[in-house]
Each structure stands twice: as C-alpha cells, then as structure tokens.
C-alpha cells in the first residue's frame, strides 16, 4: 500500500516537465545525503507515554513571535515552473493553514504579491561578495513585510550535480527567477556568492534590516553556538535538501547534537527528509522547536493552492494523531520521547 505522500510525489512527477522535475529532485554528488535523509528519521524509535489526557491537542508553536503550525515551508526556487501561480499559490495555502513560509531570494514572484496573500513570510538570502549589493533586495523585502531574514550559510559555492538532459534554465520562461533584484545586479562586480561569510554577517543583517536573523545550513554544534553568540535568533539544521555537500551527516543526527550543545536557551529548527506527522513529532522529540518542509509542498503545488492546502490538512491530521498516540498535547510535549529516562 502506498502512502498519500508517495501518491502526491508520483502525481507531481507525472505532471512536471522532466528538466523541472530533475531540478526539484536532484541531490549533489552520489545523492547519498539526499537519500539518507528520510530513512534517518524512520530509524529513530519513540517511547510513548500513556495515561495522559490528550483530549485537547494544540499544534500551535511559537515561530519567532508568531503563533503558527509546527512546520513551515522552506525556501525553494522556480515555484512558477510547477504551477503558474507559483509562490502566490504556496503562500495563499500556507496562510490559510496558519503556517510560516520562507521565500527564496531567487523567486520569480514580486515580494509584494506574496505578501498580499496575508502569509507570515521570512526572506531567505545568499549574501554576495559585495554585501552592499544585497541592500536593494533586503530593503524591498522589509518594505513588503518580511518578518525575518534566513541567511543560508552552507553555500559558498553551488554544488554540481549530474544533469541527464536539459538544464532547467533552458526550459523555464524568462522571468521565472530573481524578480526582486535590480535588473543589473548580476552584472555588477562582487555579485557572486560570498566565500568569506562569518559571524559578523549575522550582525550586519540585523543592523541593516532590523529583523531577526536565522542561520540556515548549520550541522555542527560548535557552529550553532557561534551563530547564536553572533546574535542569530535561531539556527536551522539543514543539508540543503542534500543539494550541497554530499556525505554530510543527516539532520536527524545533527539536530540532536545541536540541541545538546545549545541547551534549552537556543531556538533550533530542522529540515531534511521530513514527510509525515510521525516525522514532525520525532523531530520535536529530537530537540527541534519547529520543522521545515522542502519538496513535500512542491509536490502539492502542482495542483496549485488547493494541492498545498490538502498537504497541510493531511499533515495536520497525522501530527495530531501521533501526538495523541505518544501522550502529547503539544509538539513540545514530545521532547524526551527518544529517551525513556526523561
């Protein structure tokens, strides 16, 4: 018997052009990190509590001051290649579900159109070698109502992957990406990705935007501590969907190590291979304060806002059921389910 997630993925694959599907699904290198992500969560075992009142289950968690679903939508490019409404459809459905959406800086949709849906949204950003070239986009995002900045820290260069056919950029219409940059941005000296990122860039973004900054792409406990000490509001444990360094540790392992290092005072998010309500609860048991979904919302997006809304509904039902079965009334109640001594 196939799961609804597998059926959703199969439908998306059937309806998506081959080059676009390759872009969505690819991993770097041998795709080891991509392929190990979901099984890493499945390998963990929960110790459910019993004789607990689980009549009233509340999924709401705090996402940088916003009450929201325990899962958010991770930043992904080329959403308009999956559905004509792209990021707007994703935002509309996520707003309706009460979730947070992280918008890729490379989106082909104006920030203002995404914000008009009423969604709570954060901006994902890659800093260029010349930091000042990021200012117009950052200022536009702040003006459009972004409530946080997510700094991607694991991409000094974009990892290569083996492309069997056409490149996605050869088949998508012009204007499918980078709609919020000045027209001459990519021709400016210093517009390439920064290879000298440091903790000081967290402070730079804080001062330039006035928004909380999340450091995305952290795997090591010592790096997590450096980010928080530099002023990051949260660290986001991520392997970039297995699209950057292949053979990187899976996030199910890394999030436990990061939580142990930062203690209860630091905010920790995680993504990578999270597909089900059981995965969501397991991630909270492992120490996460919220999770993010990358490919799963894209599979739903093939059917526009309705497809994404259905994904949110199914995940809400699953997560609520698993919380009850583990004796938990909220996602944070799941903390300790991996250790019977707690």
């Amino acid at each position: 018997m196939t799961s609804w997630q597998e059926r959703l993925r199969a439908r998306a694959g059937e309806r998506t052009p081959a080059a676009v599907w390759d872009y969505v699904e690819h991993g770097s290198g041998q795709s080891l990190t991509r392929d190990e992500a979901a099984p890493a969560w499945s390998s963990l075992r929960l110790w459910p509590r019993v004789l607990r009142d689980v009549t009233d289950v509340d999924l709401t968690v705090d996402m940088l001051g916003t009450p929201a679903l325990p899962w958010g939508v991770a930043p992904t490019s080329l959403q308009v290649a999956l559905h004509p409404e792209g990021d707007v459809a994703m935002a509309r459905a996520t707003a309706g579900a009460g979730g947070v959406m992280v918008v890729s800086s490379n989106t082909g949709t104006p920030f203002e159109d995404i914000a008009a849906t009423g969604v709570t949204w954060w901006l994902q950003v890659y800093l260029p070698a010349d930091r000042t070239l990021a200012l117009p986009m950052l200022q536009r995002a702040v003006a459009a109502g972004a409530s946080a900045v997510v700094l991607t820290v694991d991409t000094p260069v974009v990892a290569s992957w083996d492309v069997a056919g056409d490149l996605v950029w050869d088949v998508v219409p012009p204007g499918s990406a980078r709609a919020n940059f000045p027209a001459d941005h990519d021709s400016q000296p210093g517009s390439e990705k920064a290879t000298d990122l440091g903790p000081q860039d967290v402070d730079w973004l804080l001062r330039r935007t006035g928004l909380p900054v999340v450091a995305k792409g952290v795997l090591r406990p010592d790096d997590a501590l450096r980010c928080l000490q530099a002023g990051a509001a949260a660290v986001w444990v991520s392997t970039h969907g297995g699209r950057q360094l292949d053979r990187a540790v899976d996030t199910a392992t890394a999030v436990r190590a990061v939580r142990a290092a930062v203690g209860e005072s630091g905010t920790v998010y995680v993504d990578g291979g999270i597909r089900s309500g059981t995965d969501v609860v397991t991630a909270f048991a492992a120490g996460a304060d919220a999770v993010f979904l990358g490919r799963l919302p894209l599979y739903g997006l093939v059917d526009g806002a309705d497809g994404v809304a259905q994904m949110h509904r199914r995940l809400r039902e699953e997560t609520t059921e698993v919380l009850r079965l583990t004796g938990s009334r909220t996602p944070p109640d799941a903390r300790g389910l991996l250790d019977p001594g707690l």
Side-chain angles (χ1 to χ4, degrees):
M1 181 181 296
T2 59
S3 66
W4 67 266
Q5 293 93 339
E6 291 168 327
R7 293 192 296 273
L8 190 67
R9 180 178 181 274
R11 177 175 172 79
E14 291 167 358
R15 295 169 57 105
T16 304
V20 176
W21 187 245
D22 184 57
Y23 178 76
V24 169
E25 289 289 276
H26 84 262
S28 61
Q30 298 172 281
S31 295
L32 296 174
T33 297
R34 181 200 66 183
D35 293 344
E36 291 169 357
W41 293 109
S42 298
S43 71
L44 299 179
R45 295 294 177 265
L46 302 171
W47 294 72
R49 303 180 180 102
V50 297
L51 300 179
R52 308 294 174 102
D53 183 355
V54 291
T55 305
D56 298 316
V57 171
D58 184 0
L59 295 187
T60 307
V61 300
D62 179 89
M63 298 278 272
L64 299 185
T66 298
L69 288 172
W71 59 86
V73 175
T76 51
S77 302
L78 295 181
Q79 293 187 23
V80 292
L82 289 159
H83 188 274
E85 289 190 312
D87 301 75
V88 170
M90 185 75 79
R92 187 180 303 120
T94 302
V100 169
M101 176 176 171
V102 185
V103 176
S104 169
S105 59
N106 289 327
T107 178
T109 303
F111 293 148
E112 296 80 3
D113 293 351
I114 296 170
T117 67
V119 73
T120 298
W121 68 284
W122 303 349
L123 171 69
Q124 175 272 336
V125 64
Y126 301 102
L127 285 182
D130 180 351
R131 307 300 194 266
T132 62
L133 294 179
L135 290 175
M137 181 192 64
L138 291 169
Q139 291 162 355
R140 182 171 181 174
V142 171
S147 54
V149 177
V150 177
L151 173 63
T152 294
V153 298
D154 63 358
T155 311
V157 294
V158 177
S160 58
W161 85 94
D162 184 27
V163 181
D166 293 329
L167 283 171
V168 67
W169 308 107
D170 296 331
V171 302
V172 297
S176 296
R178 300 174 76 76
N180 297 286
F181 287 87
D184 64 347
H185 174 87
D186 291 337
S187 64
Q188 296 294 313
S191 62
E192 69 277 6
K193 286 182 173 60
T195 56
D196 61 345
L197 281 181
Q200 69 277 2
D201 288 303
V202 172
D203 181 66
W204 185 85
L205 282 168
L206 280 167
R207 288 186 289 104
R208 292 294 184 169
T209 66
L211 298 176
V213 177
V214 178
K216 176 180 180 290
V218 178
L219 293 172
R220 294 177 57 94
D222 53 351
D223 283 337
L225 288 169
R226 291 172 68 225
C227 291
L228 294 172
Q229 290 163 359
V235 291
W236 183 335
V237 176
S238 176
T239 63
H240 214 114
R243 298 158 81 93
Q244 280 299 102
L245 176 66
D246 201 20
R247 302 191 190 181
V249 63
D250 63 83
T251 55
T253 298
V255 72
R256 286 173 285 166
V258 167
R259 171 55 69 194
V262 306
E264 295 303 314
S265 60
T267 298
V268 179
Y269 302 141
V270 67
D271 69 18
I274 296 170
R275 300 284 190 270
S276 69
T278 309
D279 292 338
V280 172
V281 174
T282 302
F284 274 82
D289 293 300
V291 305
F292 284 86
L293 312 174
R295 292 183 176 95
L296 192 63
L298 295 181
Y299 301 156
L301 183 60
V302 170
D303 288 315
D306 287 344
V308 178
Q310 183 179 14
M311 179 220 71
H312 283 304
R313 285 194 297 271
R314 296 296 296 267
L315 203 56
R316 178 185 289 274
E317 292 168 359
E318 281 190 351
T319 304
T320 300
E321 177 182 290
V322 175
L323 285 173
R324 283 195 167 111
L325 290 173
T326 60
S328 307
R329 291 192 292 182
T330 70
D333 283 350
R335 191 72 61 83
L337 290 177
L338 295 180
D339 184 348
L342 296 179

